[in-house]
Amino acid sequence: MTVHAGLQSRHIKVGNVTFGNDLPFVLIAGPCQMESREHALEMAEALHDVCNKLSLPLIYKSSFDKANRTSLGSQRGIGLEQALPIFEEIKNKFGCPVITDVHSPEQCAAVAEVVDILQIPAFLCRQTDLLIAAAKTGRAINVKKGQFLAPWDMKNVSQKIIDSGNDQVLVCERGTSFGYNTLVSDMRGLPIMGLQTGCPVIFDATHSVQQPGGQGGTTGGQREFVPVLSRAALSVGVAGIFMETHQDPDNAPSDGPNMVPLQQLPELLPVLMAFDKLAKEHPVSIA
């Protein structure tokens, strides 16, 4: 039997945004880590303005804590208590849902009081207690596929959340460890994850070009390939693109080498929307 990869998932509504592998893609974007209230609001306003002009659905992303930095001396973020009021202000001012990472079961309930989507980092995607705690909040969950997993392994990961009473699950591809500070994105994995899990699929273009530990004490990356991989993923047919951005990536406190300069988005996003439109009109079929 031949099936259309783009038509297998449920639709997940988060605020004014709906995810579906057969729907126009949603942009999940923002700076890697929350640096300050002023910076977060500046970035949120810029992203809101460009997406609003394009009628492109937006989820604002930033991390209150980067718990898996390469070295002990790396900046981690402003912390949970400071970040939550800022996320709430962004939601109220710009009307877009927000997403952030959780790293322990204890964080989930507090974060879910404000944040619309809880994100499970790739390294933690098999941590059962974390998945259950996130599920119990009732919020949508974006689970990043571990760099060490095959696409079909995400069926068991997503099922832990679903069996805990929450079917609002997004599964996210962010590359597979190849070794020697390199990740590889296998585009076959996108429809496979959609079919195996029944969930909307997100492609993380930012972390797919990451070079973990590639600069010795910090992570490197190849931001010039973010548009390349985004085009490829959208051509297959996905529910969303995860793309970190910053007005000055070279001086960002984390993941600068992977982030797209903010000023490039007005030119890049319409191109990605065109790829997405064509893909949704002609969905990929796999046997």
Side-chain angles (χ1 to χ4, degrees):
M1 179 178 69
T2 299
V3 293
H4 292 294
L7 302 177
Q8 297 305 303
S9 80
R10 63 185 66 88
H11 289 173
I12 294 178
K13 186 171 176 57
V14 180
N16 58 357
V17 171
T18 303
F19 290 92
N21 292 334
D22 58 328
L23 299 178
F25 86 95
V26 176
L27 179 67
I28 301 174
C32 177
Q33 67 172 259
M34 190 173 283
E35 301 172 27
S36 67
R37 173 182 175 273
E38 292 72 23
H39 184 256
L41 289 170
E42 177 186 345
M43 293 294 299
E45 182 174 15
L47 286 165
H48 171 266
D49 287 351
V50 69
C51 289
N52 192 50
K53 288 177 183 176
L54 296 170
S55 298
L56 177 63
L58 170 69
I59 307 284
Y60 182 81
K61 180 271 167 188
S62 201
S63 298
F64 61 83
D65 179 23
K66 303 301 293 183
N68 62 345
R69 299 304 306 276
T70 302
S71 64
L72 194 60
S74 298
Q75 294 185 49
R76 290 182 52 166
I78 67 174
L80 177 59
E81 289 187 11
Q82 261 190 277
L84 288 182
I86 299 171
F87 279 124
E88 189 161 31
E89 186 174 359
I90 288 169
K91 288 175 58 174
N92 292 337
K93 186 169 184 178
F94 301 109
C96 60
V98 296
I99 180 173
T100 198
D101 306 280
V102 288
H103 304 93
S104 68
E106 295 75 26
Q107 292 177 343
C108 293
V111 172
E113 289 291 324
V114 174
V115 172
D116 301 280
I117 305 176
L118 305 187
Q119 183 162 277
I120 308 298
F123 285 127
L124 300 178
C125 70
R126 292 186 62 176
Q127 296 297 104
T128 300
D129 290 344
L130 177 59
L131 295 176
I132 292 173
K136 295 298 185 185
T137 68
R139 291 295 194 181
I141 314 295
N142 183 36
V143 190
K144 292 196 175 184
K145 179 180 75 66
Q147 301 93 321
F148 44 87
L149 294 182
W152 45 86
D153 293 329
M154 287 299 285
K155 181 177 182 179
N156 291 328
V157 172
S158 62
Q159 202 63 45
K160 288 181 182 180
I161 300 172
I162 294 167
D163 289 347
S164 299
N166 186 342
D167 66 355
Q168 303 299 291
V169 184
L170 309 168
V171 291
C172 182
E173 172 62 70
R174 51 96 73 227
T176 300
S177 292
F178 181 73
Y180 299 102
N181 312 114
T182 302
L183 297 169
V184 172
S185 294
D186 182 357
M187 295 301 158
R188 296 174 300 177
L190 301 174
I192 290 171
M193 281 203 299
L195 288 168
Q196 290 283 327
T197 67
C199 299
V201 176
I202 309 300
F203 181 71
D204 179 350
T206 288
H207 294 97
S208 291
V209 302
Q210 193 179 62
Q211 295 174 315
Q215 294 183 345
T218 59
T219 287
Q222 297 173 298
R223 71 170 74 103
E224 66 271 22
F225 289 110
V226 167
V228 176
L229 293 183
S230 296
R231 289 183 180 202
L234 288 167
S235 297
V236 173
V238 293
I241 292 290
F242 179 107
M243 182 184 296
E244 290 181 342
T245 184
H246 196 281
Q247 86 281 8
D248 185 14
D250 291 335
N251 291 299
S254 60
D255 267 351
N258 317 310
M259 286 196 280
V260 175
L262 182 65
Q263 59 270 25
Q264 293 182 9
L265 293 186
E267 182 178 352
L268 172 60
L269 293 176
V271 174
L272 297 184
M273 292 173 72
F275 273 81
D276 181 65
K277 184 175 186 294
L278 182 63
K280 300 299 166 57
E281 290 174 349
H282 305 278
V284 174
S285 296
I286 60 176

